[in-house]
């Protein structure tokens, strides 16, 4: 099984950016942890990050036929992007929406996700662990 982890705007700043909210690990640290866990289950994982909405849309489209599932932390685009929602829906690739922080305990504008309705599920609030939990969620989803 091949899983594509996509990360949106400002997630390249993890470790530096508001550590009290997003933690002290960098995205590369998280990638390492997820890849270690994935290799123990024979799952292949690829990580990408972009600050640009259209690039994320391109990557979702290109994942068709290449990846079995997507784990998506779209960052702020979660709360604004019809284009990313349409790309997920259009490809039909099972996608898990994730967030490091508990968006529901934060500002009101973070309570709305354009992506949740087209994702198989949402994991948020567990810090870097949200990324690893998504791997378990996908493995279980694929077993069904
Ligand atoms: C990351 C962001 O960049 C925010 O814009 C989201 C999400 C929350 C996170 O918690 O991973 O609102």
């Amino acid at each position: 099984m091949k899983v594509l982890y996509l990360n949106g705007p400002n997630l390249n700043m993890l470790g530096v950016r508001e550590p009290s909210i997003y933690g002290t690990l960098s995205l590369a640290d998280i990638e390492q942890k997820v890849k270690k866990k994935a290799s123990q289950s024979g799952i292949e994982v690829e990580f990408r990050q972009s600050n640009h909405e259209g690039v994320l849309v391109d990557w979702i489209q290109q994942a068709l036929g290449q990846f079995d599932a997507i784990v998506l932390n779209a960052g702020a685009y979660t709360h604004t992007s019809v284009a990313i929602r349409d790309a997920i829906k259009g490809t039909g690739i099972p996608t898990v929406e994730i967030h490091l922080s508990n968006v529901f305990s934060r500002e009101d504008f973070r309570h709305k996700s354009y992506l949740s309705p087209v994702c198989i599920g949402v994991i948020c609030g567990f810090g870097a662990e949200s990324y690893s939990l998504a791997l378990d969620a996908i493995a279980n989803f694929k077993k069904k």
Side-chain angles (χ1 to χ4, degrees):
M1 178 162 67
K2 283 177 75 177
V3 181
L4 178 62
Y5 276 71
L6 292 182
N7 295 277
N10 298 305
L11 293 164
N12 54 317
M13 298 291 287
L14 286 181
V16 174
R17 173 194 188 202
E18 301 179 88
S20 61
I21 296 175
Y22 296 108
T24 54
L25 296 185
S26 68
L27 192 58
D29 294 333
I30 296 174
E31 176 176 354
Q32 213 179 13
K33 277 166 80 91
V34 170
K35 282 190 169 162
K36 190 173 172 198
K37 180 182 166 113
S39 70
Q40 288 160 1
S41 316
I43 299 172
E44 207 178 309
V45 161
E46 186 170 322
F47 259 67
R48 297 182 199 163
Q49 187 276 331
S50 176
N51 291 326
H52 304 280
E53 186 176 18
V55 172
L56 294 164
V57 169
D58 287 343
W59 284 343
I60 293 166
Q61 292 177 1
Q62 290 160 9
L64 197 56
Q66 304 295 316
F67 290 90
D68 301 293
I70 294 174
V71 176
L72 175 61
N73 186 350
Y77 289 139
T78 305
H79 318 298
T80 63
S81 181
V82 176
I84 292 176
R85 175 193 176 120
D86 287 351
I88 297 166
K89 179 99 174 149
T91 60
I93 301 169
T95 299
V96 177
E97 174 185 337
I98 63 165
H99 305 286
L100 295 135
S101 64
N102 180 355
V103 287
F104 299 104
S105 66
R106 300 181 63 195
E107 303 95 324
D108 284 355
F109 65 83
R110 293 184 206 276
H111 297 179
K112 162 82 185 169
S113 168
Y114 280 84
L115 312 181
S116 304
V118 296
C119 288
I120 57 173
V122 181
I123 297 169
C124 80
F126 297 99
E129 196 58 27
S130 292
Y131 283 75
S132 301
L133 290 168
L135 203 59
D136 294 330
I138 283 170
N140 283 321
F141 177 82
K142 286 285 178 187
K143 262 191 231 152
K144 282 183 200 158

